[in-house]
Amino acid sequence: MPDRVTLHQLQHGEAPVPRRLLASWQRSEEYGVPQDTVEPVFTGTDDLGSFFFECGNEVLVELHRTLANEPVSMMLTDSDGVVLSRLSGDHSLLQALDDVHLAPGFAYSEREVGTNGLGLALADRAPTLVRADQHYALNLCTFTCAAVPVLDPTSGRLEGSVNLTTWSRSSSELLLALARSAASNTMALMLARSTGRRPRQTPRGQVFRVEVPRLEPGSGTVHELSDSWNAGVAQAERAMASGHIVAAIGEPGAGRSTLLAQAARHTYPRDRILSASAPAPTDVQTWLGLWTPELGKDHTAVIVRDVDMLPTWVAEQLRDLVMRSGGTTAVPFAVTAERFEDIPTALAGLVDTVIPVAPLRDRPDDVLPLAAHIARRARGRDVVISPPASRALQNYGWPGNVDQLSRVVSHSASRTDVIDVAGLPPEVLAGSSRHLSRIETFERGEIVRVLSSYGAPTMADAARELGMSRATLYRKISQYGIHLPREG
């Protein structure tokens, strides 16, 4: 085996290694990971019923059939680096992996065992190959590992990784390509089975923008909102006024960045608000390059959206850009994420105040004021929303939160002067019901439309228009959980 590469050699350029690997070694040292051995934590495999595991395992089983006689171990891990499954036809390789606990149920994150293929792939959210003595722990140097992160194609959330491990003496030229292919096939299978939902994409043209002092960026001003929303804005204002770093936590589209922007505009009325979202992997270097000149300007506040989507090394560079050497922030700084525990450690340690932002389904009193505001913005003037349409909007669960409400109302307002149930999509008319087939969704929507219309004052009239008996209509109303009052 070649001589052991040391951290000193890596830091001083004496070993030809990628910058990402050097950063990982430095983090491993800071975590206090021992170099002589690995002692991963056994947590068990709790995610074997997940959608990701179902699709990923199917892909790896098929790959295993073609590589059954090769000295390669194929694994799935969750987003925390816990090994969920392992396949290999090489018994000596399996025994060696058991010796270092690279086995189902054990956590192999970078924080647990130092630099390794799957740990670094998850930390940086990038395809990774770690060869032989590039591993931080000595007893992993007999292996070469290739790992590729897997993102949920509909939400963009990190689900886990595909990891292929072989002996360090074996050729690794195709290992990363195979791991890429398996991860890609897993995401494609997840998308194909995800009932036609579209994958989350980074919004082009809105990844990085500067808002000059004016009304809240991207939102306008809506003051007639629920007490929970206004309390969140007030809490963020107080924290910002005290110089605290704030994290708004909640579902995508719930208004996390809008809440922070409103609070920042009230707290720093003269400041520019620099608002950035996590970039696509190909845009990372350009994205980081935009920060330096902007952060040097006076009266600037910063909001970074979706920091849970940032690779670890990007989060570390961002931290270094916004923090002074004395440990204070160079500018007012706030972030958003879906869950606090998914914020990279480099940024999570800076957060002083965490503000939960409730999803729109838990803020029904906000639906109509927001809908009126969105319609006014789309048409440039007030737009009437009929009582039946208002009830349908309030009764819907809005899984896409305010973003979905904005799309629905903007589309309707662009076509008519009065938003009525006829202009709303079937899924909104289907209310908060779950697990309906397309036919059931359409049927429920038709019942809601007819019951909400002014032309069906009685149940008999509604049943006649729908082509069913009154008894059947009453049964359908109960079955679909319809609670809309009729217009008398």
Side-chain angles (χ1 to χ4, degrees), residues 126-150:
T128 300
L129 180 69
V130 175
R131 295 183 173 91
D133 61 350
Q134 290 179 339
H135 288 89
Y136 188 77
L138 284 167
N139 59 347
L140 296 181
C141 293
T142 54
F143 306 108
T144 290
C145 301
V148 179
V150 176

PDB file of all heavy atoms in Angstrom, residues 126-150:
ATOM      1  N   ALA A 126     -22.596  16.022  -3.939  1.00  0.00           N
ATOM      2  CA  ALA A 126     -21.917  15.917  -5.223  1.00  0.00           C
ATOM      3  C   ALA A 126     -21.352  14.511  -5.395  1.00  0.00           C
ATOM      4  O   ALA A 126     -20.934  13.883  -4.407  1.00  0.00           O
ATOM      5  CB  ALA A 126     -20.787  16.939  -5.311  1.00  0.00           C
ATOM      6  N   PRO A 127     -21.312  13.989  -6.619  1.00  0.00           N
ATOM      7  CA  PRO A 127     -20.681  12.687  -6.857  1.00  0.00           C
ATOM      8  C   PRO A 127     -19.248  12.697  -6.360  1.00  0.00           C
ATOM      9  O   PRO A 127     -18.509  13.671  -6.565  1.00  0.00           O
ATOM     10  CB  PRO A 127     -20.754  12.548  -8.390  1.00  0.00           C
ATOM     11  CG  PRO A 127     -21.917  13.402  -8.784  1.00  0.00           C
ATOM     12  CD  PRO A 127     -21.882  14.571  -7.849  1.00  0.00           C
ATOM     13  N   THR A 128     -18.850  11.626  -5.696  1.00  0.00           N
ATOM     14  CA  THR A 128     -17.564  11.617  -5.002  1.00  0.00           C
ATOM     15  C   THR A 128     -16.881  10.269  -5.147  1.00  0.00           C
ATOM     16  O   THR A 128     -17.520   9.221  -5.018  1.00  0.00           O
ATOM     17  CB  THR A 128     -17.766  11.911  -3.499  1.00  0.00           C
ATOM     18  OG1 THR A 128     -18.370  13.205  -3.362  1.00  0.00           O
ATOM     19  CG2 THR A 128     -16.440  11.896  -2.749  1.00  0.00           C
ATOM     20  N   LEU A 129     -15.580  10.309  -5.403  1.00  0.00           N
ATOM     21  CA  LEU A 129     -14.750   9.105  -5.413  1.00  0.00           C
ATOM     22  C   LEU A 129     -13.625   9.313  -4.412  1.00  0.00           C
ATOM     23  O   LEU A 129     -12.862  10.275  -4.512  1.00  0.00           O
ATOM     24  CB  LEU A 129     -14.174   8.850  -6.811  1.00  0.00           C
ATOM     25  CG  LEU A 129     -13.279   7.620  -6.959  1.00  0.00           C
ATOM     26  CD1 LEU A 129     -14.099   6.336  -6.808  1.00  0.00           C
ATOM     27  CD2 LEU A 129     -12.574   7.622  -8.318  1.00  0.00           C
ATOM     28  N   VAL A 130     -13.530   8.437  -3.419  1.00  0.00           N
ATOM     29  CA  VAL A 130     -12.450   8.496  -2.430  1.00  0.00           C
ATOM     30  C   VAL A 130     -11.652   7.209  -2.543  1.00  0.00           C
ATOM     31  O   VAL A 130     -12.171   6.117  -2.301  1.00  0.00           O
ATOM     32  CB  VAL A 130     -13.000   8.675  -0.999  1.00  0.00           C
ATOM     33  CG1 VAL A 130     -11.866   8.612   0.021  1.00  0.00           C
ATOM     34  CG2 VAL A 130     -13.737  10.010  -0.888  1.00  0.00           C
ATOM     35  N   ARG A 131     -10.398   7.344  -2.910  1.00  0.00           N
ATOM     36  CA  ARG A 131      -9.535   6.193  -3.146  1.00  0.00           C
ATOM     37  C   ARG A 131      -8.667   5.895  -1.928  1.00  0.00           C
ATOM     38  O   ARG A 131      -8.166   6.804  -1.282  1.00  0.00           O
ATOM     39  CB  ARG A 131      -8.622   6.423  -4.347  1.00  0.00           C
ATOM     40  CG  ARG A 131      -9.322   6.551  -5.685  1.00  0.00           C
ATOM     41  CD  ARG A 131      -8.287   6.693  -6.796  1.00  0.00           C
ATOM     42  NE  ARG A 131      -8.884   6.661  -8.133  1.00  0.00           N
ATOM     43  CZ  ARG A 131      -9.280   7.728  -8.791  1.00  0.00           C
ATOM     44  NH1 ARG A 131      -9.149   8.924  -8.225  1.00  0.00           N
ATOM     45  NH2 ARG A 131      -9.807   7.621  -9.989  1.00  0.00           N
ATOM     46  N   ALA A 132      -8.499   4.639  -1.615  1.00  0.00           N
ATOM     47  CA  ALA A 132      -7.453   4.121  -0.725  1.00  0.00           C
ATOM     48  C   ALA A 132      -7.120   5.081   0.406  1.00  0.00           C
ATOM     49  O   ALA A 132      -7.948   5.342   1.278  1.00  0.00           O
ATOM     50  CB  ALA A 132      -6.211   3.802  -1.547  1.00  0.00           C
ATOM     51  N   ASP A 133      -5.871   5.632   0.414  1.00  0.00           N
ATOM     52  CA  ASP A 133      -5.428   6.424   1.551  1.00  0.00           C
ATOM     53  C   ASP A 133      -5.946   7.853   1.539  1.00  0.00           C
ATOM     54  O   ASP A 133      -5.530   8.670   2.353  1.00  0.00           O
ATOM     55  CB  ASP A 133      -3.903   6.421   1.652  1.00  0.00           C
ATOM     56  CG  ASP A 133      -3.235   7.019   0.428  1.00  0.00           C
ATOM     57  OD1 ASP A 133      -3.939   7.258  -0.572  1.00  0.00           O
ATOM     58  OD2 ASP A 133      -2.013   7.251   0.483  1.00  0.00           O
ATOM     59  N   GLN A 134      -6.876   8.174   0.645  1.00  0.00           N
ATOM     60  CA  GLN A 134      -7.584   9.453   0.743  1.00  0.00           C
ATOM     61  C   GLN A 134      -8.614   9.412   1.875  1.00  0.00           C
ATOM     62  O   GLN A 134      -9.100  10.451   2.306  1.00  0.00           O
ATOM     63  CB  GLN A 134      -8.281   9.790  -0.575  1.00  0.00           C
ATOM     64  CG  GLN A 134      -7.322  10.136  -1.706  1.00  0.00           C
ATOM     65  CD  GLN A 134      -8.044  10.429  -3.003  1.00  0.00           C
ATOM     66  OE1 GLN A 134      -9.190  10.019  -3.207  1.00  0.00           O
ATOM     67  NE2 GLN A 134      -7.382  11.148  -3.896  1.00  0.00           N
ATOM     68  N   HIS A 135      -8.954   8.199   2.338  1.00  0.00           N
ATOM     69  CA  HIS A 135      -9.825   8.083   3.505  1.00  0.00           C
ATOM     70  C   HIS A 135      -9.126   8.659   4.737  1.00  0.00           C
ATOM     71  O   HIS A 135      -7.896   8.559   4.870  1.00  0.00           O
ATOM     72  CB  HIS A 135     -10.187   6.620   3.773  1.00  0.00           C
ATOM     73  CG  HIS A 135     -11.150   6.043   2.781  1.00  0.00           C
ATOM     74  ND1 HIS A 135     -10.727   5.427   1.617  1.00  0.00           N
ATOM     75  CD2 HIS A 135     -12.505   5.971   2.780  1.00  0.00           C
ATOM     76  CE1 HIS A 135     -11.790   5.005   0.939  1.00  0.00           C
ATOM     77  NE2 HIS A 135     -12.884   5.322   1.618  1.00  0.00           N
ATOM     78  N   TYR A 136      -9.900   9.223   5.633  1.00  0.00           N
ATOM     79  CA  TYR A 136      -9.313   9.815   6.838  1.00  0.00           C
ATOM     80  C   TYR A 136      -8.854   8.737   7.809  1.00  0.00           C
ATOM     81  O   TYR A 136      -7.787   8.845   8.414  1.00  0.00           O
ATOM     82  CB  TYR A 136     -10.345  10.733   7.502  1.00  0.00           C
ATOM     83  CG  TYR A 136      -9.792  11.548   8.644  1.00  0.00           C
ATOM     84  CD1 TYR A 136      -9.008  12.679   8.395  1.00  0.00           C
ATOM     85  CD2 TYR A 136     -10.047  11.208   9.962  1.00  0.00           C
ATOM     86  CE1 TYR A 136      -8.499  13.438   9.433  1.00  0.00           C
ATOM     87  CE2 TYR A 136      -9.557  11.959  11.011  1.00  0.00           C
ATOM     88  CZ  TYR A 136      -8.775  13.069  10.744  1.00  0.00           C
ATOM     89  OH  TYR A 136      -8.274  13.814  11.777  1.00  0.00           O
ATOM     90  N   ALA A 137      -9.653   7.693   7.972  1.00  0.00           N
ATOM     91  CA  ALA A 137      -9.319   6.625   8.910  1.00  0.00           C
ATOM     92  C   ALA A 137      -8.439   5.568   8.241  1.00  0.00           C
ATOM     93  O   ALA A 137      -8.697   5.157   7.103  1.00  0.00           O
ATOM     94  CB  ALA A 137     -10.599   5.978   9.443  1.00  0.00           C
ATOM     95  N   LEU A 138      -7.429   5.138   8.931  1.00  0.00           N
ATOM     96  CA  LEU A 138      -6.458   4.204   8.355  1.00  0.00           C
ATOM     97  C   LEU A 138      -7.082   2.885   7.935  1.00  0.00           C
ATOM     98  O   LEU A 138      -6.705   2.321   6.910  1.00  0.00           O
ATOM     99  CB  LEU A 138      -5.332   3.949   9.375  1.00  0.00           C
ATOM    100  CG  LEU A 138      -4.311   5.067   9.535  1.00  0.00           C
ATOM    101  CD1 LEU A 138      -3.461   4.820  10.768  1.00  0.00           C
ATOM    102  CD2 LEU A 138      -3.425   5.163   8.295  1.00  0.00           C
ATOM    103  N   ASN A 139      -8.011   2.361   8.721  1.00  0.00           N
ATOM    104  CA  ASN A 139      -8.533   1.038   8.385  1.00  0.00           C
ATOM    105  C   ASN A 139      -9.558   1.061   7.261  1.00  0.00           C
ATOM    106  O   ASN A 139     -10.152   0.044   6.935  1.00  0.00           O
ATOM    107  CB  ASN A 139      -9.116   0.335   9.617  1.00  0.00           C
ATOM    108  CG  ASN A 139     -10.245   1.105  10.260  1.00  0.00           C
ATOM    109  OD1 ASN A 139     -10.472   2.271   9.959  1.00  0.00           O
ATOM    110  ND2 ASN A 139     -10.965   0.457  11.164  1.00  0.00           N
ATOM    111  N   LEU A 140      -9.766   2.219   6.647  1.00  0.00           N
ATOM    112  CA  LEU A 140     -10.587   2.287   5.436  1.00  0.00           C
ATOM    113  C   LEU A 140      -9.734   2.361   4.170  1.00  0.00           C
ATOM    114  O   LEU A 140     -10.264   2.381   3.059  1.00  0.00           O
ATOM    115  CB  LEU A 140     -11.520   3.511   5.480  1.00  0.00           C
ATOM    116  CG  LEU A 140     -12.583   3.521   6.578  1.00  0.00           C
ATOM    117  CD1 LEU A 140     -13.443   4.775   6.467  1.00  0.00           C
ATOM    118  CD2 LEU A 140     -13.457   2.277   6.492  1.00  0.00           C
ATOM    119  N   CYS A 141      -8.419   2.400   4.346  1.00  0.00           N
ATOM    120  CA  CYS A 141      -7.529   2.607   3.204  1.00  0.00           C
ATOM    121  C   CYS A 141      -7.430   1.404   2.279  1.00  0.00           C
ATOM    122  O   CYS A 141      -6.827   1.489   1.210  1.00  0.00           O
ATOM    123  CB  CYS A 141      -6.127   3.006   3.691  1.00  0.00           C
ATOM    124  SG  CYS A 141      -6.086   4.630   4.487  1.00  0.00           S
ATOM    125  N   THR A 142      -7.997   0.289   2.674  1.00  0.00           N
ATOM    126  CA  THR A 142      -7.992  -0.878   1.788  1.00  0.00           C
ATOM    127  C   THR A 142      -9.151  -0.830   0.795  1.00  0.00           C
ATOM    128  O   THR A 142      -9.288  -1.717  -0.044  1.00  0.00           O
ATOM    129  CB  THR A 142      -8.097  -2.178   2.604  1.00  0.00           C
ATOM    130  OG1 THR A 142      -9.238  -2.099   3.459  1.00  0.00           O
ATOM    131  CG2 THR A 142      -6.837  -2.381   3.433  1.00  0.00           C
ATOM    132  N   PHE A 143      -9.991   0.234   0.886  1.00  0.00           N
ATOM    133  CA  PHE A 143     -11.167   0.333   0.024  1.00  0.00           C
ATOM    134  C   PHE A 143     -11.113   1.578  -0.861  1.00  0.00           C
ATOM    135  O   PHE A 143     -10.452   2.570  -0.528  1.00  0.00           O
ATOM    136  CB  PHE A 143     -12.453   0.400   0.862  1.00  0.00           C
ATOM    137  CG  PHE A 143     -12.607  -0.718   1.839  1.00  0.00           C
ATOM    138  CD1 PHE A 143     -12.458  -0.499   3.205  1.00  0.00           C
ATOM    139  CD2 PHE A 143     -12.899  -1.998   1.402  1.00  0.00           C
ATOM    140  CE1 PHE A 143     -12.608  -1.526   4.114  1.00  0.00           C
ATOM    141  CE2 PHE A 143     -13.045  -3.042   2.302  1.00  0.00           C
ATOM    142  CZ  PHE A 143     -12.891  -2.809   3.664  1.00  0.00           C
ATOM    143  N   THR A 144     -11.804   1.502  -1.963  1.00  0.00           N
ATOM    144  CA  THR A 144     -12.109   2.669  -2.787  1.00  0.00           C
ATOM    145  C   THR A 144     -13.628   2.769  -2.875  1.00  0.00           C
ATOM    146  O   THR A 144     -14.300   1.766  -3.159  1.00  0.00           O
ATOM    147  CB  THR A 144     -11.510   2.544  -4.189  1.00  0.00           C
ATOM    148  OG1 THR A 144     -10.075   2.656  -4.094  1.00  0.00           O
ATOM    149  CG2 THR A 144     -12.025   3.642  -5.108  1.00  0.00           C
ATOM    150  N   CYS A 145     -14.149   3.959  -2.628  1.00  0.00           N
ATOM    151  CA  CYS A 145     -15.600   4.146  -2.556  1.00  0.00           C
ATOM    152  C   CYS A 145     -16.055   5.242  -3.525  1.00  0.00           C
ATOM    153  O   CYS A 145     -15.446   6.317  -3.567  1.00  0.00           O
ATOM    154  CB  CYS A 145     -16.040   4.521  -1.144  1.00  0.00           C
ATOM    155  SG  CYS A 145     -15.601   3.297   0.114  1.00  0.00           S
ATOM    156  N   ALA A 146     -17.115   4.957  -4.251  1.00  0.00           N
ATOM    157  CA  ALA A 146     -17.762   5.946  -5.122  1.00  0.00           C
ATOM    158  C   ALA A 146     -19.197   6.108  -4.650  1.00  0.00           C
ATOM    159  O   ALA A 146     -19.913   5.119  -4.468  1.00  0.00           O
ATOM    160  CB  ALA A 146     -17.727   5.500  -6.573  1.00  0.00           C
ATOM    161  N   ALA A 147     -19.631   7.344  -4.455  1.00  0.00           N
ATOM    162  CA  ALA A 147     -20.981   7.595  -3.959  1.00  0.00           C
ATOM    163  C   ALA A 147     -21.583   8.796  -4.671  1.00  0.00           C
ATOM    164  O   ALA A 147     -20.879   9.754  -5.017  1.00  0.00           O
ATOM    165  CB  ALA A 147     -20.969   7.831  -2.448  1.00  0.00           C
ATOM    166  N   VAL A 148     -22.889   8.729  -4.873  1.00  0.00           N
ATOM    167  CA  VAL A 148     -23.620   9.806  -5.541  1.00  0.00           C
ATOM    168  C   VAL A 148     -24.880  10.097  -4.741  1.00  0.00           C
ATOM    169  O   VAL A 148     -25.633   9.169  -4.417  1.00  0.00           O
ATOM    170  CB  VAL A 148     -24.000   9.421  -6.987  1.00  0.00           C
ATOM    171  CG1 VAL A 148     -24.785  10.547  -7.661  1.00  0.00           C
ATOM    172  CG2 VAL A 148     -22.747   9.097  -7.802  1.00  0.00           C
ATOM    173  N   PRO A 149     -25.127  11.361  -4.388  1.00  0.00           N
ATOM    174  CA  PRO A 149     -26.337  11.689  -3.634  1.00  0.00           C
ATOM    175  C   PRO A 149     -27.583  11.513  -4.490  1.00  0.00           C
ATOM    176  O   PRO A 149     -27.540  11.679  -5.714  1.00  0.00           O
ATOM    177  CB  PRO A 149     -26.136  13.158  -3.247  1.00  0.00           C
ATOM    178  CG  PRO A 149     -25.200  13.686  -4.276  1.00  0.00           C
ATOM    179  CD  PRO A 149     -24.299  12.543  -4.656  1.00  0.00           C
ATOM    180  N   VAL A 150     -28.691  11.181  -3.836  1.00  0.00           N
ATOM    181  CA  VAL A 150     -29.978  11.041  -4.515  1.00  0.00           C
ATOM    182  C   VAL A 150     -30.928  12.085  -3.939  1.00  0.00           C
ATOM    183  O   VAL A 150     -31.137  12.135  -2.724  1.00  0.00           O
ATOM    184  CB  VAL A 150     -30.564   9.626  -4.333  1.00  0.00           C
ATOM    185  CG1 VAL A 150     -31.952   9.537  -4.965  1.00  0.00           C
ATOM    186  CG2 VAL A 150     -29.636   8.578  -4.937  1.00  0.00           C
TER     187      VAL A 150
END
